[in-house]
Amino acid sequence: MTRHFLVDTDLTQAEQAQVLDLAAALKQDRYAVQPYAAPGAGRKTVAVIFDKTSTRTRVSFATGVADLGGVPLVIGAGESQLGHKESVADTAKVLERMVSTIVWRTYAQSGLEEMAANSSVPVINALSDDYHPCQLLADLLTIREHKGRLAGLTLAYLGDSANNMANSYLLAGVTAGMNVRVAGPVGFLPDPAVVDAAAARADETGGSVMITTDPAEALAGADVVATDTWVSMGQEEEKAARLELFRDYAVDSAAMEQAADDAIVLHCLPAYRGYEISADVIDGPQSVVWDEAENRLHAQKALMAWLMAASGLAELPSLPGAAAGAEGTGA
Ligand code: CP
Ligand code: NVA
């Protein structure tokens, strides 16, 4: 069975841990796994498609595919027939005959679901309006590096709590057994369906979910503080209203005083200093955003290798995490 990664909960807690273990191994030994190198037959291709702009995702996937022995085929917005001249399903049926994995940044989550339903090769969500699950693998790897564990830690996310990052913090965080607190204004809190899914996963892992309009309630003693832009891609026309709406949810020095003394700060970037995060915090000693950005590379390489192995399309050598990933086949 082909495994896809469209939403954070597509990996169980054990599978997520396998991917993070493999990511840590690949960070130590960058070229140790080569699922896209076809022995004696050259290199396999991975399609990396963008309907929205990107720096980190584009560079980390292109570099990661090359590191894994493959050839990245990066397709920018408007450069293919997809979405305007040709359906998602027809596109998938063509791509699956040529490429080994499809990575796609797009708007509607339903498009990714349609791509996956029509593809015999893994499909990876490189950000949709609803989720950013690859970013969360990098964030979890970063937290683990700095805190030594995930389960039992408390993460507070402040700001636009109806966006893709809020949803993914909830789902990926509780999958790792974390206590995830999300704070935003009325009307910009997570969809109840996402909260229910997070609560159900938390019941399995020992994590927990808190949704609040009070930033102080979310921040109290938190081990990790995270935020994201108040104006996501596609929301540019709402910018003026949004900059007012979220003012009380900024991650600044006053907010950080309410978190644990040794709290770390995450931001997926791009960041807007003076809005969702102050310059002294993002450029200060508690910020780990540059580790977080680098970890996109290692986490996504592990994800691609794991999905190829779990789909029966490649083998993994016995690295820490790699053998366990292969056991996930057909799960
Ligand atoms: N964090 C993130 O996904 O960055 P890009 O939009 O630059 O890819
Ligand atoms: N919420 C942001 C994340 C950017 C990486 C957006 O969707 O634009």
Side-chain angles (χ1 to χ4, degrees), residues 46-54 57-58 61 73-83 88 91-92 95 99 101-106 112 115 123-127:
V46 172
V48 189
I49 308 168
F50 290 93
D51 295 344
K52 299 176 177 175
T53 53
S54 168
T57 306
R58 179 180 176 136
F61 269 109
L73 172 63
V74 178
I75 302 172
E79 288 179 1
S80 73
Q81 318 290 24
L82 172 61
V88 174
T91 302
L95 291 180
V99 307
T101 300
I102 299 167
V103 178
W104 188 17
R105 168 170 284 193
T106 189
L112 283 152
M115 186 77 88
V123 175
I124 295 174
N125 179 356
L127 180 148

PDB file of all heavy atoms in Angstrom, residues 46-54 57-58 61 73-83 88 91-92 95 99 101-106 112 115 123-127:
ATOM      1  N   VAL A  46      11.851  13.235  -8.428  1.00  0.00           N
ATOM      2  CA  VAL A  46      10.776  13.633  -7.514  1.00  0.00           C
ATOM      3  C   VAL A  46      10.198  14.957  -8.012  1.00  0.00           C
ATOM      4  O   VAL A  46      10.940  15.922  -8.223  1.00  0.00           O
ATOM      5  CB  VAL A  46      11.307  13.789  -6.070  1.00  0.00           C
ATOM      6  CG1 VAL A  46      10.246  14.393  -5.157  1.00  0.00           C
ATOM      7  CG2 VAL A  46      11.773  12.436  -5.530  1.00  0.00           C
ATOM      8  N   ALA A  47       8.877  14.999  -8.237  1.00  0.00           N
ATOM      9  CA  ALA A  47       8.217  16.248  -8.636  1.00  0.00           C
ATOM     10  C   ALA A  47       7.923  17.077  -7.391  1.00  0.00           C
ATOM     11  O   ALA A  47       7.339  16.573  -6.425  1.00  0.00           O
ATOM     12  CB  ALA A  47       6.919  15.944  -9.370  1.00  0.00           C
ATOM     13  N   VAL A  48       8.354  18.338  -7.402  1.00  0.00           N
ATOM     14  CA  VAL A  48       8.143  19.259  -6.277  1.00  0.00           C
ATOM     15  C   VAL A  48       7.378  20.459  -6.850  1.00  0.00           C
ATOM     16  O   VAL A  48       7.959  21.300  -7.534  1.00  0.00           O
ATOM     17  CB  VAL A  48       9.488  19.684  -5.644  1.00  0.00           C
ATOM     18  CG1 VAL A  48       9.245  20.449  -4.346  1.00  0.00           C
ATOM     19  CG2 VAL A  48      10.385  18.474  -5.379  1.00  0.00           C
ATOM     20  N   ILE A  49       6.079  20.507  -6.586  1.00  0.00           N
ATOM     21  CA  ILE A  49       5.177  21.433  -7.287  1.00  0.00           C
ATOM     22  C   ILE A  49       4.721  22.539  -6.336  1.00  0.00           C
ATOM     23  O   ILE A  49       4.305  22.264  -5.202  1.00  0.00           O
ATOM     24  CB  ILE A  49       3.939  20.672  -7.811  1.00  0.00           C
ATOM     25  CG1 ILE A  49       4.357  19.445  -8.616  1.00  0.00           C
ATOM     26  CG2 ILE A  49       3.064  21.592  -8.647  1.00  0.00           C
ATOM     27  CD1 ILE A  49       3.204  18.497  -8.927  1.00  0.00           C
ATOM     28  N   PHE A  50       4.781  23.776  -6.813  1.00  0.00           N
ATOM     29  CA  PHE A  50       4.392  24.931  -5.982  1.00  0.00           C
ATOM     30  C   PHE A  50       3.274  25.726  -6.632  1.00  0.00           C
ATOM     31  O   PHE A  50       3.440  26.226  -7.744  1.00  0.00           O
ATOM     32  CB  PHE A  50       5.601  25.846  -5.734  1.00  0.00           C
ATOM     33  CG  PHE A  50       6.612  25.219  -4.835  1.00  0.00           C
ATOM     34  CD1 PHE A  50       7.672  24.493  -5.360  1.00  0.00           C
ATOM     35  CD2 PHE A  50       6.484  25.315  -3.464  1.00  0.00           C
ATOM     36  CE1 PHE A  50       8.593  23.877  -4.518  1.00  0.00           C
ATOM     37  CE2 PHE A  50       7.409  24.704  -2.620  1.00  0.00           C
ATOM     38  CZ  PHE A  50       8.465  23.984  -3.147  1.00  0.00           C
ATOM     39  N   ASP A  51       2.155  25.849  -5.908  1.00  0.00           N
ATOM     40  CA  ASP A  51       1.095  26.787  -6.301  1.00  0.00           C
ATOM     41  C   ASP A  51       1.211  28.083  -5.514  1.00  0.00           C
ATOM     42  O   ASP A  51       0.493  29.039  -5.781  1.00  0.00           O
ATOM     43  CB  ASP A  51      -0.295  26.176  -6.036  1.00  0.00           C
ATOM     44  CG  ASP A  51      -0.547  24.954  -6.913  1.00  0.00           C
ATOM     45  OD1 ASP A  51       0.182  24.771  -7.910  1.00  0.00           O
ATOM     46  OD2 ASP A  51      -1.479  24.188  -6.597  1.00  0.00           O
ATOM     47  N   LYS A  52       2.068  28.089  -4.472  1.00  0.00           N
ATOM     48  CA  LYS A  52       2.344  29.287  -3.671  1.00  0.00           C
ATOM     49  C   LYS A  52       3.863  29.456  -3.616  1.00  0.00           C
ATOM     50  O   LYS A  52       4.600  28.498  -3.859  1.00  0.00           O
ATOM     51  CB  LYS A  52       1.812  29.131  -2.240  1.00  0.00           C
ATOM     52  CG  LYS A  52       0.315  28.928  -2.116  1.00  0.00           C
ATOM     53  CD  LYS A  52      -0.073  28.677  -0.649  1.00  0.00           C
ATOM     54  CE  LYS A  52      -1.560  28.543  -0.485  1.00  0.00           C
ATOM     55  NZ  LYS A  52      -1.953  28.184   0.911  1.00  0.00           N
ATOM     56  N   THR A  53       4.322  30.640  -3.225  1.00  0.00           N
ATOM     57  CA  THR A  53       5.762  30.899  -3.179  1.00  0.00           C
ATOM     58  C   THR A  53       6.423  30.156  -2.016  1.00  0.00           C
ATOM     59  O   THR A  53       5.754  29.687  -1.096  1.00  0.00           O
ATOM     60  CB  THR A  53       6.032  32.405  -3.029  1.00  0.00           C
ATOM     61  OG1 THR A  53       5.299  32.888  -1.906  1.00  0.00           O
ATOM     62  CG2 THR A  53       5.626  33.153  -4.280  1.00  0.00           C
ATOM     63  N   SER A  54       7.760  30.068  -2.050  1.00  0.00           N
ATOM     64  CA  SER A  54       8.498  29.342  -1.010  1.00  0.00           C
ATOM     65  C   SER A  54       9.987  29.625  -1.104  1.00  0.00           C
ATOM     66  O   SER A  54      10.531  29.770  -2.198  1.00  0.00           O
ATOM     67  CB  SER A  54       8.282  27.840  -1.173  1.00  0.00           C
ATOM     68  OG  SER A  54       9.190  27.126  -0.355  1.00  0.00           O
ATOM     69  N   THR A  57      10.927  25.542   1.806  1.00  0.00           N
ATOM     70  CA  THR A  57      10.370  24.277   1.331  1.00  0.00           C
ATOM     71  C   THR A  57      10.985  23.898  -0.005  1.00  0.00           C
ATOM     72  O   THR A  57      11.357  22.748  -0.241  1.00  0.00           O
ATOM     73  CB  THR A  57       8.837  24.406   1.241  1.00  0.00           C
ATOM     74  OG1 THR A  57       8.357  24.841   2.514  1.00  0.00           O
ATOM     75  CG2 THR A  57       8.197  23.082   0.864  1.00  0.00           C
ATOM     76  N   ARG A  58      11.111  24.887  -0.864  1.00  0.00           N
ATOM     77  CA  ARG A  58      11.681  24.641  -2.192  1.00  0.00           C
ATOM     78  C   ARG A  58      13.136  24.183  -2.084  1.00  0.00           C
ATOM     79  O   ARG A  58      13.539  23.175  -2.673  1.00  0.00           O
ATOM     80  CB  ARG A  58      11.589  25.929  -3.023  1.00  0.00           C
ATOM     81  CG  ARG A  58      12.162  25.785  -4.399  1.00  0.00           C
ATOM     82  CD  ARG A  58      12.051  27.074  -5.188  1.00  0.00           C
ATOM     83  NE  ARG A  58      12.715  26.860  -6.473  1.00  0.00           N
ATOM     84  CZ  ARG A  58      12.243  27.235  -7.624  1.00  0.00           C
ATOM     85  NH1 ARG A  58      11.104  27.865  -7.711  1.00  0.00           N
ATOM     86  NH2 ARG A  58      12.915  27.003  -8.735  1.00  0.00           N
ATOM     87  N   PHE A  61      13.522  20.677  -0.084  1.00  0.00           N
ATOM     88  CA  PHE A  61      13.129  19.497  -0.863  1.00  0.00           C
ATOM     89  C   PHE A  61      14.086  19.270  -2.039  1.00  0.00           C
ATOM     90  O   PHE A  61      14.474  18.125  -2.316  1.00  0.00           O
ATOM     91  CB  PHE A  61      11.680  19.595  -1.353  1.00  0.00           C
ATOM     92  CG  PHE A  61      10.701  18.990  -0.384  1.00  0.00           C
ATOM     93  CD1 PHE A  61       9.851  19.783   0.347  1.00  0.00           C
ATOM     94  CD2 PHE A  61      10.644  17.612  -0.193  1.00  0.00           C
ATOM     95  CE1 PHE A  61       8.957  19.226   1.269  1.00  0.00           C
ATOM     96  CE2 PHE A  61       9.763  17.044   0.718  1.00  0.00           C
ATOM     97  CZ  PHE A  61       8.916  17.852   1.449  1.00  0.00           C
ATOM     98  N   LEU A  73      12.577  17.730  -9.604  1.00  0.00           N
ATOM     99  CA  LEU A  73      11.965  18.473 -10.707  1.00  0.00           C
ATOM    100  C   LEU A  73      11.039  19.503 -10.075  1.00  0.00           C
ATOM    101  O   LEU A  73       9.927  19.177  -9.656  1.00  0.00           O
ATOM    102  CB  LEU A  73      11.172  17.523 -11.610  1.00  0.00           C
ATOM    103  CG  LEU A  73      10.319  18.193 -12.688  1.00  0.00           C
ATOM    104  CD1 LEU A  73      11.186  18.964 -13.672  1.00  0.00           C
ATOM    105  CD2 LEU A  73       9.484  17.158 -13.417  1.00  0.00           C
ATOM    106  N   VAL A  74      11.538  20.740  -9.930  1.00  0.00           N
ATOM    107  CA  VAL A  74      10.761  21.785  -9.266  1.00  0.00           C
ATOM    108  C   VAL A  74       9.886  22.498 -10.291  1.00  0.00           C
ATOM    109  O   VAL A  74      10.394  23.009 -11.299  1.00  0.00           O
ATOM    110  CB  VAL A  74      11.693  22.782  -8.543  1.00  0.00           C
ATOM    111  CG1 VAL A  74      10.872  23.901  -7.883  1.00  0.00           C
ATOM    112  CG2 VAL A  74      12.539  22.062  -7.490  1.00  0.00           C
ATOM    113  N   ILE A  75       8.579  22.523 -10.041  1.00  0.00           N
ATOM    114  CA  ILE A  75       7.613  23.133 -10.961  1.00  0.00           C
ATOM    115  C   ILE A  75       6.957  24.300 -10.233  1.00  0.00           C
ATOM    116  O   ILE A  75       6.253  24.110  -9.238  1.00  0.00           O
ATOM    117  CB  ILE A  75       6.555  22.095 -11.401  1.00  0.00           C
ATOM    118  CG1 ILE A  75       7.237  20.888 -12.061  1.00  0.00           C
ATOM    119  CG2 ILE A  75       5.540  22.741 -12.334  1.00  0.00           C
ATOM    120  CD1 ILE A  75       6.287  19.735 -12.359  1.00  0.00           C
ATOM    121  N   GLY A  76       7.194  25.509 -10.705  1.00  0.00           N
ATOM    122  CA  GLY A  76       6.666  26.698 -10.044  1.00  0.00           C
ATOM    123  C   GLY A  76       5.211  26.963 -10.389  1.00  0.00           C
ATOM    124  O   GLY A  76       4.638  26.342 -11.291  1.00  0.00           O
ATOM    125  N   ALA A  77       4.634  27.926  -9.654  1.00  0.00           N
ATOM    126  CA  ALA A  77       3.220  28.264  -9.856  1.00  0.00           C
ATOM    127  C   ALA A  77       2.964  28.651 -11.312  1.00  0.00           C
ATOM    128  O   ALA A  77       3.691  29.453 -11.888  1.00  0.00           O
ATOM    129  CB  ALA A  77       2.840  29.406  -8.930  1.00  0.00           C
ATOM    130  N   GLY A  78       1.957  28.049 -11.903  1.00  0.00           N
ATOM    131  CA  GLY A  78       1.567  28.396 -13.264  1.00  0.00           C
ATOM    132  C   GLY A  78       2.435  27.781 -14.349  1.00  0.00           C
ATOM    133  O   GLY A  78       2.221  28.030 -15.537  1.00  0.00           O
ATOM    134  N   GLU A  79       3.393  26.961 -13.984  1.00  0.00           N
ATOM    135  CA  GLU A  79       4.312  26.412 -14.993  1.00  0.00           C
ATOM    136  C   GLU A  79       3.848  25.082 -15.588  1.00  0.00           C
ATOM    137  O   GLU A  79       4.444  24.600 -16.538  1.00  0.00           O
ATOM    138  CB  GLU A  79       5.709  26.200 -14.376  1.00  0.00           C
ATOM    139  CG  GLU A  79       6.449  27.498 -14.126  1.00  0.00           C
ATOM    140  CD  GLU A  79       7.815  27.276 -13.498  1.00  0.00           C
ATOM    141  OE1 GLU A  79       8.213  26.112 -13.269  1.00  0.00           O
ATOM    142  OE2 GLU A  79       8.478  28.279 -13.219  1.00  0.00           O
ATOM    143  N   SER A  80       2.831  24.463 -14.979  1.00  0.00           N
ATOM    144  CA  SER A  80       2.321  23.207 -15.549  1.00  0.00           C
ATOM    145  C   SER A  80       0.843  23.407 -15.917  1.00  0.00           C
ATOM    146  O   SER A  80       0.269  24.469 -15.685  1.00  0.00           O
ATOM    147  CB  SER A  80       2.459  22.057 -14.548  1.00  0.00           C
ATOM    148  OG  SER A  80       1.509  22.187 -13.515  1.00  0.00           O
ATOM    149  N   GLN A  81       0.228  22.378 -16.452  1.00  0.00           N
ATOM    150  CA  GLN A  81      -1.196  22.466 -16.831  1.00  0.00           C
ATOM    151  C   GLN A  81      -2.098  22.282 -15.615  1.00  0.00           C
ATOM    152  O   GLN A  81      -3.291  22.531 -15.687  1.00  0.00           O
ATOM    153  CB  GLN A  81      -1.519  21.358 -17.862  1.00  0.00           C
ATOM    154  CG  GLN A  81      -0.477  21.152 -18.946  1.00  0.00           C
ATOM    155  CD  GLN A  81      -0.402  22.305 -19.932  1.00  0.00           C
ATOM    156  OE1 GLN A  81      -0.780  23.430 -19.619  1.00  0.00           O
ATOM    157  NE2 GLN A  81       0.098  22.029 -21.133  1.00  0.00           N
ATOM    158  N   LEU A  82      -1.500  21.814 -14.519  1.00  0.00           N
ATOM    159  CA  LEU A  82      -2.262  21.472 -13.310  1.00  0.00           C
ATOM    160  C   LEU A  82      -3.099  22.647 -12.814  1.00  0.00           C
ATOM    161  O   LEU A  82      -2.585  23.746 -12.617  1.00  0.00           O
ATOM    162  CB  LEU A  82      -1.287  21.021 -12.205  1.00  0.00           C
ATOM    163  CG  LEU A  82      -1.848  20.786 -10.804  1.00  0.00           C
ATOM    164  CD1 LEU A  82      -2.892  19.683 -10.802  1.00  0.00           C
ATOM    165  CD2 LEU A  82      -0.712  20.447  -9.840  1.00  0.00           C
ATOM    166  N   GLY A  83      -4.379  22.378 -12.634  1.00  0.00           N
ATOM    167  CA  GLY A  83      -5.242  23.356 -11.984  1.00  0.00           C
ATOM    168  C   GLY A  83      -5.965  24.286 -12.931  1.00  0.00           C
ATOM    169  O   GLY A  83      -7.033  24.779 -12.600  1.00  0.00           O
ATOM    170  N   VAL A  88      -6.531  17.475 -11.287  1.00  0.00           N
ATOM    171  CA  VAL A  88      -5.552  16.886 -10.370  1.00  0.00           C
ATOM    172  C   VAL A  88      -5.420  15.389 -10.655  1.00  0.00           C
ATOM    173  O   VAL A  88      -4.312  14.843 -10.696  1.00  0.00           O
ATOM    174  CB  VAL A  88      -5.981  17.128  -8.912  1.00  0.00           C
ATOM    175  CG1 VAL A  88      -5.056  16.398  -7.941  1.00  0.00           C
ATOM    176  CG2 VAL A  88      -6.018  18.619  -8.609  1.00  0.00           C
ATOM    177  N   THR A  91      -3.438  14.682 -13.771  1.00  0.00           N
ATOM    178  CA  THR A  91      -2.030  15.014 -13.514  1.00  0.00           C
ATOM    179  C   THR A  91      -1.370  13.886 -12.731  1.00  0.00           C
ATOM    180  O   THR A  91      -0.246  13.448 -13.069  1.00  0.00           O
ATOM    181  CB  THR A  91      -1.937  16.334 -12.722  1.00  0.00           C
ATOM    182  OG1 THR A  91      -2.586  17.372 -13.465  1.00  0.00           O
ATOM    183  CG2 THR A  91      -0.488  16.718 -12.461  1.00  0.00           C
ATOM    184  N   ALA A  92      -2.042  13.395 -11.704  1.00  0.00           N
ATOM    185  CA  ALA A  92      -1.481  12.311 -10.888  1.00  0.00           C
ATOM    186  C   ALA A  92      -1.202  11.072 -11.736  1.00  0.00           C
ATOM    187  O   ALA A  92      -0.163  10.422 -11.587  1.00  0.00           O
ATOM    188  CB  ALA A  92      -2.439  11.969  -9.744  1.00  0.00           C
ATOM    189  N   LEU A  95       1.998  11.770 -13.668  1.00  0.00           N
ATOM    190  CA  LEU A  95       3.208  11.877 -12.837  1.00  0.00           C
ATOM    191  C   LEU A  95       3.628  10.521 -12.274  1.00  0.00           C
ATOM    192  O   LEU A  95       4.823  10.202 -12.226  1.00  0.00           O
ATOM    193  CB  LEU A  95       2.975  12.862 -11.692  1.00  0.00           C
ATOM    194  CG  LEU A  95       2.824  14.340 -12.066  1.00  0.00           C
ATOM    195  CD1 LEU A  95       2.604  15.187 -10.813  1.00  0.00           C
ATOM    196  CD2 LEU A  95       4.038  14.841 -12.829  1.00  0.00           C
ATOM    197  N   VAL A  99       7.629   9.775 -12.007  1.00  0.00           N
ATOM    198  CA  VAL A  99       8.377  10.209 -10.823  1.00  0.00           C
ATOM    199  C   VAL A  99       8.161   9.235  -9.668  1.00  0.00           C
ATOM    200  O   VAL A  99       7.225   8.433  -9.678  1.00  0.00           O
ATOM    201  CB  VAL A  99       7.993  11.648 -10.401  1.00  0.00           C
ATOM    202  CG1 VAL A  99       8.120  12.616 -11.572  1.00  0.00           C
ATOM    203  CG2 VAL A  99       6.594  11.705  -9.802  1.00  0.00           C
ATOM    204  N   THR A 101       8.071  10.242  -6.254  1.00  0.00           N
ATOM    205  CA  THR A 101       7.341  10.895  -5.165  1.00  0.00           C
ATOM    206  C   THR A 101       6.801  12.210  -5.720  1.00  0.00           C
ATOM    207  O   THR A 101       7.435  12.824  -6.592  1.00  0.00           O
ATOM    208  CB  THR A 101       8.279  11.171  -3.957  1.00  0.00           C
ATOM    209  OG1 THR A 101       8.819   9.930  -3.485  1.00  0.00           O
ATOM    210  CG2 THR A 101       7.559  11.851  -2.805  1.00  0.00           C
ATOM    211  N   ILE A 102       5.632  12.624  -5.222  1.00  0.00           N
ATOM    212  CA  ILE A 102       5.052  13.914  -5.604  1.00  0.00           C
ATOM    213  C   ILE A 102       4.957  14.780  -4.348  1.00  0.00           C
ATOM    214  O   ILE A 102       4.308  14.393  -3.368  1.00  0.00           O
ATOM    215  CB  ILE A 102       3.645  13.730  -6.216  1.00  0.00           C
ATOM    216  CG1 ILE A 102       3.716  12.861  -7.476  1.00  0.00           C
ATOM    217  CG2 ILE A 102       3.008  15.095  -6.513  1.00  0.00           C
ATOM    218  CD1 ILE A 102       2.352  12.371  -7.971  1.00  0.00           C
ATOM    219  N   VAL A 103       5.629  15.932  -4.367  1.00  0.00           N
ATOM    220  CA  VAL A 103       5.587  16.899  -3.267  1.00  0.00           C
ATOM    221  C   VAL A 103       4.816  18.104  -3.790  1.00  0.00           C
ATOM    222  O   VAL A 103       5.123  18.613  -4.872  1.00  0.00           O
ATOM    223  CB  VAL A 103       7.020  17.314  -2.854  1.00  0.00           C
ATOM    224  CG1 VAL A 103       6.986  18.348  -1.736  1.00  0.00           C
ATOM    225  CG2 VAL A 103       7.843  16.095  -2.460  1.00  0.00           C
ATOM    226  N   TRP A 104       3.806  18.579  -3.034  1.00  0.00           N
ATOM    227  CA  TRP A 104       2.937  19.630  -3.594  1.00  0.00           C
ATOM    228  C   TRP A 104       2.560  20.632  -2.523  1.00  0.00           C
ATOM    229  O   TRP A 104       2.015  20.257  -1.471  1.00  0.00           O
ATOM    230  CB  TRP A 104       1.682  18.978  -4.169  1.00  0.00           C
ATOM    231  CG  TRP A 104       0.785  19.903  -4.957  1.00  0.00           C
ATOM    232  CD1 TRP A 104       1.094  21.126  -5.486  1.00  0.00           C
ATOM    233  CD2 TRP A 104      -0.588  19.660  -5.299  1.00  0.00           C
ATOM    234  NE1 TRP A 104       0.011  21.648  -6.145  1.00  0.00           N
ATOM    235  CE2 TRP A 104      -1.031  20.772  -6.048  1.00  0.00           C
ATOM    236  CE3 TRP A 104      -1.465  18.596  -5.054  1.00  0.00           C
ATOM    237  CZ2 TRP A 104      -2.331  20.856  -6.549  1.00  0.00           C
ATOM    238  CZ3 TRP A 104      -2.756  18.683  -5.548  1.00  0.00           C
ATOM    239  CH2 TRP A 104      -3.181  19.797  -6.296  1.00  0.00           C
ATOM    240  N   ARG A 105       2.832  21.913  -2.786  1.00  0.00           N
ATOM    241  CA  ARG A 105       2.333  23.037  -1.973  1.00  0.00           C
ATOM    242  C   ARG A 105       1.164  23.653  -2.719  1.00  0.00           C
ATOM    243  O   ARG A 105       1.320  24.129  -3.844  1.00  0.00           O
ATOM    244  CB  ARG A 105       3.438  24.076  -1.754  1.00  0.00           C
ATOM    245  CG  ARG A 105       2.917  25.391  -1.189  1.00  0.00           C
ATOM    246  CD  ARG A 105       4.010  26.327  -0.744  1.00  0.00           C
ATOM    247  NE  ARG A 105       4.577  25.879   0.524  1.00  0.00           N
ATOM    248  CZ  ARG A 105       5.375  26.623   1.285  1.00  0.00           C
ATOM    249  NH1 ARG A 105       5.698  27.858   0.916  1.00  0.00           N
ATOM    250  NH2 ARG A 105       5.862  26.138   2.412  1.00  0.00           N
ATOM    251  N   THR A 106       0.007  23.648  -2.067  1.00  0.00           N
ATOM    252  CA  THR A 106      -1.185  24.129  -2.764  1.00  0.00           C
ATOM    253  C   THR A 106      -2.145  24.805  -1.797  1.00  0.00           C
ATOM    254  O   THR A 106      -1.805  25.065  -0.640  1.00  0.00           O
ATOM    255  CB  THR A 106      -1.851  22.957  -3.522  1.00  0.00           C
ATOM    256  OG1 THR A 106      -2.883  23.476  -4.366  1.00  0.00           O
ATOM    257  CG2 THR A 106      -2.416  21.906  -2.575  1.00  0.00           C
ATOM    258  N   LEU A 112      -4.880  17.778  -2.534  1.00  0.00           N
ATOM    259  CA  LEU A 112      -3.869  16.794  -2.130  1.00  0.00           C
ATOM    260  C   LEU A 112      -4.500  15.411  -1.973  1.00  0.00           C
ATOM    261  O   LEU A 112      -3.899  14.399  -2.366  1.00  0.00           O
ATOM    262  CB  LEU A 112      -3.215  17.225  -0.817  1.00  0.00           C
ATOM    263  CG  LEU A 112      -2.181  18.338  -0.979  1.00  0.00           C
ATOM    264  CD1 LEU A 112      -2.063  19.173   0.271  1.00  0.00           C
ATOM    265  CD2 LEU A 112      -0.833  17.747  -1.364  1.00  0.00           C
ATOM    266  N   MET A 115      -4.984  14.046  -5.396  1.00  0.00           N
ATOM    267  CA  MET A 115      -3.692  13.627  -5.962  1.00  0.00           C
ATOM    268  C   MET A 115      -3.310  12.262  -5.393  1.00  0.00           C
ATOM    269  O   MET A 115      -2.921  11.344  -6.127  1.00  0.00           O
ATOM    270  CB  MET A 115      -2.617  14.674  -5.627  1.00  0.00           C
ATOM    271  CG  MET A 115      -1.264  14.439  -6.271  1.00  0.00           C
ATOM    272  SD  MET A 115      -1.192  14.891  -8.029  1.00  0.00           S
ATOM    273  CE  MET A 115      -0.752  16.622  -7.931  1.00  0.00           C
ATOM    274  N   VAL A 123       2.578  10.842  -1.993  1.00  0.00           N
ATOM    275  CA  VAL A 123       2.266  12.267  -2.150  1.00  0.00           C
ATOM    276  C   VAL A 123       2.506  12.937  -0.798  1.00  0.00           C
ATOM    277  O   VAL A 123       2.055  12.435   0.243  1.00  0.00           O
ATOM    278  CB  VAL A 123       0.809  12.485  -2.601  1.00  0.00           C
ATOM    279  CG1 VAL A 123       0.462  13.979  -2.632  1.00  0.00           C
ATOM    280  CG2 VAL A 123       0.582  11.854  -3.979  1.00  0.00           C
ATOM    281  N   ILE A 124       3.234  14.053  -0.820  1.00  0.00           N
ATOM    282  CA  ILE A 124       3.600  14.775   0.407  1.00  0.00           C
ATOM    283  C   ILE A 124       3.018  16.185   0.361  1.00  0.00           C
ATOM    284  O   ILE A 124       3.196  16.910  -0.635  1.00  0.00           O
ATOM    285  CB  ILE A 124       5.141  14.837   0.549  1.00  0.00           C
ATOM    286  CG1 ILE A 124       5.716  13.427   0.743  1.00  0.00           C
ATOM    287  CG2 ILE A 124       5.537  15.758   1.704  1.00  0.00           C
ATOM    288  CD1 ILE A 124       7.238  13.376   0.746  1.00  0.00           C
ATOM    289  N   ASN A 125       2.355  16.583   1.441  1.00  0.00           N
ATOM    290  CA  ASN A 125       1.818  17.936   1.579  1.00  0.00           C
ATOM    291  C   ASN A 125       2.948  18.882   1.987  1.00  0.00           C
ATOM    292  O   ASN A 125       3.456  18.812   3.111  1.00  0.00           O
ATOM    293  CB  ASN A 125       0.709  17.936   2.643  1.00  0.00           C
ATOM    294  CG  ASN A 125       0.095  19.315   2.873  1.00  0.00           C
ATOM    295  OD1 ASN A 125       0.540  20.294   2.289  1.00  0.00           O
ATOM    296  ND2 ASN A 125      -0.907  19.377   3.724  1.00  0.00           N
ATOM    297  N   ALA A 126       3.305  19.783   1.077  1.00  0.00           N
ATOM    298  CA  ALA A 126       4.361  20.767   1.363  1.00  0.00           C
ATOM    299  C   ALA A 126       3.773  22.102   1.816  1.00  0.00           C
ATOM    300  O   ALA A 126       4.448  23.118   1.748  1.00  0.00           O
ATOM    301  CB  ALA A 126       5.226  20.969   0.123  1.00  0.00           C
ATOM    302  N   LEU A 127       2.584  22.097   2.324  1.00  0.00           N
ATOM    303  CA  LEU A 127       1.765  23.186   2.889  1.00  0.00           C
ATOM    304  C   LEU A 127       0.483  23.299   2.066  1.00  0.00           C
ATOM    305  O   LEU A 127       0.518  23.380   0.837  1.00  0.00           O
ATOM    306  CB  LEU A 127       2.481  24.553   2.876  1.00  0.00           C
ATOM    307  CG  LEU A 127       1.703  25.765   3.448  1.00  0.00           C
ATOM    308  CD1 LEU A 127       2.645  26.775   4.111  1.00  0.00           C
ATOM    309  CD2 LEU A 127       0.890  26.460   2.369  1.00  0.00           C
TER     310      LEU A 127
END
